[in-house]
């Protein structure tokens, strides 16, 4: 039985697509057949982050409208045979997404895949609601910053009211917190919300912490999910996150500031 | 805490503390309520607290509010907890 997981946040630019790409890559690297779908119709970017932008012929909207079948639109990752992507349309707008079409596509994918990752667009409009509607679980991506935390709270409200599970009164969508762009040294100086602060406010279990890292930009420059970069701190953090998602017990890393010698001496 | 901390002003809040406090106010309604409260709920709660504080010193959680729905009827239930020594 395939599991559908939405990667969402409300606010833009917090790392949804980066997280969706690395989460999907991490699951595939662990041997699970995984597809990641870009729901950001009109502003597609997942293909760039995954490095397959030149191989997109048909997209999600073509599949929904019947202009192409799934087999034609699914792009197989060149690095991992278990990993597939379904790109968003670049020329259409969000209204091209309709509920029956999304449901039909997800049901078809569920026959073949272990995990279906839905990369949500920013905002709380149609695209974002479509991305979360059929989800079994949700990764709520949050930066340690006021506007992002508030928007995440709003999205948590939507997960518990606007999704299929909420409407049909079943088991609620399982929520996971993913904190990205975390800078422990700034937290230490009292300049950034800590993990505990964010947890106090949002109150959902923490699945992973991704440190602020230049490796994320490097990886996106080259079209490689950062989880595939062996020596990247952020990539390691994503692989830990995936392991925790699969039920392993992994302590959080990259959450303590690296102390300089002088700072230790001064007790800072 | 290092020995240099004695020279620092410990009264001043860090910006992260300010961020947390501000966030707690704006997201509090969802945490306390379950989500289907009217939009004016958090503001009403803050206003009631402010009025109360003209007369008694109370904590942030002194005013508890619930909406009960029975058929077409909506009942606003207010629960105000006064501190032990408030009677004097």
């Amino acid at each position: 039985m395939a599991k559908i997981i939405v990667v969402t946040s409300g606010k833009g630019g917090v790392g949804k697509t980066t997280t969706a790409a690395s989460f999907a890559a991490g699951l595939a690297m662990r041997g699970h057949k995984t597809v990641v779908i870009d729901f950001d119709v009109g502003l597609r970017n997942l293909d760039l982050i995954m490095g397959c932008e030149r191989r997109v012929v048909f997209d999600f909207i073509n599949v929904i409208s019947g202009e192409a079948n799934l087999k034609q639109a699914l792009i197989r990752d060149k690095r991992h045979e278990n990993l597939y992507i379904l790109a968003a349309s670049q020329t259409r707008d969000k209204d091209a997404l309709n509920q029956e079409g999304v449901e039909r596509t997800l049901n078809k994918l569920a026959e073949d895949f272990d995990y279906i990752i839905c990369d949500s667009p920013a905002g709380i409009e149609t695209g974002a609601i479509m991305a979360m509607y059929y989800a079994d679980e949700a990764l709520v991506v949050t930066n340690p910053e006021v506007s992002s935390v508030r928007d995440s709270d709003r999205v948590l409200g939507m997960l518990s009211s606007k999704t299929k599970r909420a409407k049909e009164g079943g088991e609620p969508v399982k929520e996971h917190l993913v904190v990205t762009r975390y800078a422990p040294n700034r937290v230490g100086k009292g300049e950034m919300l800590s993990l505990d602060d964010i947890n106090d406010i949002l109150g959902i279990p923490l699945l992973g912490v991704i440190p602020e890292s230049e490796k994320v930009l490097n990886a996106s420059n080259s079209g490689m999910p950062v989880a595939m970069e062996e020596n990247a701190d952020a990539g390691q953090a994503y692989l830990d996150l995936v392991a925790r998602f699969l039920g392993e017990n992994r302590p959080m890393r990259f959450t303590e500031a690296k102390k300089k010698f002088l700072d230790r001496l001064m007790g800072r | 805490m290092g020995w240099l901390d004695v020279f620092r002003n410990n009264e001043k809040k860090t910006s992260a503390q300010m961020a947390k406090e501000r966030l707690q106010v704006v997201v509090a309604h969802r945490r306390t309520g379950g989500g289907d409260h009217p939009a004016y709920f958090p503001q009403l709660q803050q206003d009631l607290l402010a009025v109360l504080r003209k007369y008694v010193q109370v904590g942030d959680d002194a005013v508890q509010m619930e909406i009960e729905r029975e058929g077409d009827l909506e009942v606003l239930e207010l629960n105000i907890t006064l501190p032990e020594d408030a009677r004097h």
Side-chain angles (χ1 to χ4, degrees):
Chain A
M1 179 77 182
K3 214 173 235 179
I4 303 176
I5 302 129
V6 62
V7 180
T8 183
S9 72
K11 191 177 183 298
V14 298
K16 273 185 301 298
T17 301
T18 300
T19 299
S22 276
F23 184 57
L27 287 169
M29 287 156 80
R30 296 289 302 263
H32 301 284
K33 197 169 178 196
T34 304
V35 56
V36 54
I37 308 174
D38 193 348
F39 273 77
D40 204 347
V41 178
L43 290 170
R44 83 167 174 227
N45 277 321
L46 180 66
D47 53 336
L48 274 175
I49 300 299
M50 299 287 293
C52 64
E53 69 279 5
R54 288 168 52 176
R55 297 167 60 209
V56 179
V57 181
F58 294 110
D59 58 53
F60 191 18
I61 299 300
N62 294 139
V63 174
I64 286 177
S65 63
E67 294 154 2
N69 62 38
L70 256 180
K71 216 172 164 186
Q72 293 171 297
L74 279 174
I75 302 166
R76 185 186 206 156
D77 187 90
K78 290 205 160 148
R79 297 152 295 207
H80 291 279
E81 56 170 11
N82 287 324
L83 183 57
Y84 289 77
I85 114 153
L86 187 53
S89 167
Q90 182 69 328
T91 50
R92 306 284 284 277
D93 61 43
K94 304 242 186 312
D95 300 329
L97 280 175
N98 63 67
Q99 196 145 308
E100 303 81 40
V102 172
E103 182 170 22
R104 206 178 341 107
T105 311
L106 293 177
N107 283 342
K108 194 98 181 91
L109 288 168
E111 293 170 6
D112 221 22
F113 285 90
D114 302 323
Y115 292 102
I116 302 170
I117 315 302
C118 303
D119 181 21
S120 173
I124 51 172
E125 324 297 321
T126 319
I129 292 174
M130 290 290 172
M132 70 169 62
Y133 192 80
Y134 295 99
D136 300 307
E137 307 197 22
L139 304 193
V140 178
V141 183
T142 307
N143 287 170
E145 177 269 325
V146 286
S147 51
S148 174
V149 176
R150 182 199 234 178
D151 290 0
S152 291
D153 179 68
R154 181 87 168 84
V155 158
L156 288 172
M158 292 172 60
L159 285 167
S160 58
S161 63
K162 301 254 191 262
T163 52
K164 183 166 185 256
R165 284 185 171 221
K167 293 201 166 160
E168 292 179 357
E171 182 105 335
V173 177
K174 191 172 175 192
E175 302 155 339
H176 306 273
L177 178 64
V178 178
V179 176
T180 55
R181 308 199 69 164
Y182 195 66
N185 53 338
R186 299 202 69 185
V187 173
K189 287 189 222 158
E191 295 174 354
M192 182 180 270
L193 290 165
S194 69
L195 295 172
D196 286 341
D197 291 340
I198 299 171
N199 202 49
D200 281 353
I201 293 159
L202 295 178
I204 58 169
L206 179 68
L207 183 66
V209 183
I210 314 303
E212 170 81 67
S213 166
E214 52 193 47
K215 299 284 203 273
V216 172
L217 180 60
N218 292 348
S220 75
N221 286 343
S222 57
M224 175 100 124
V226 73
M228 291 184 190
E229 296 274 5
E230 267 176 33
N231 298 317
D233 47 0
Q236 295 291 314
Y238 275 117
L239 295 180
D240 283 356
L241 177 155
V242 168
R244 279 182 217 111
F245 183 84
L246 295 173
E248 284 174 34
N249 192 1
R250 296 246 180 131
M252 295 289 165
R253 290 195 277 167
F254 316 108
T255 56
E256 300 294 330
K258 287 184 199 113
K259 284 195 168 185
K260 293 196 185 93
F261 177 69
L262 195 66
D263 283 347
R264 282 179 204 256
L265 204 67
M266 308 286 266
R268 283 192 290 216
Chain B
M1 189 157 91
W3 60 271
L4 274 180
D5 285 349
V6 280
F7 300 115
R8 293 204 183 109
N9 182 356
N10 285 328
E11 293 295 296
K12 207 174 158 213
K13 274 182 200 158
T14 64
S15 65
Q17 281 171 314
M18 284 162 59
K20 186 181 180 183
E21 286 169 16
R22 291 172 60 219
L23 276 168
Q24 276 170 329
V25 174
V26 296
V27 307
H29 63 285
R30 215 181 60 80
R31 294 271 91 82
T32 53
D36 59 344
H37 287 158
Y40 61 79
F41 237 64
Q43 194 56 52
L44 175 62
Q45 195 166 23
Q46 291 303 312
D47 289 351
L48 287 172
L49 265 178
V51 172
L52 206 57
R53 280 175 181 158
K54 284 187 186 173
Y55 307 97
V56 252
Q57 277 299 325
V58 290
D60 285 345
D61 54 355
V63 177
Q64 299 293 334
M65 309 197 306
E66 275 313 318
I67 290 251
E68 298 254 326
R69 291 188 179 84
E70 291 162 23
D72 307 344
L73 200 66
E74 283 198 344
V75 180
L76 172 64
E77 187 184 310
L78 259 187
N79 211 331
I80 300 177
T81 318
L82 294 177
E84 289 282 317
D85 51 357
R87 269 173 286 171
H88 307 295

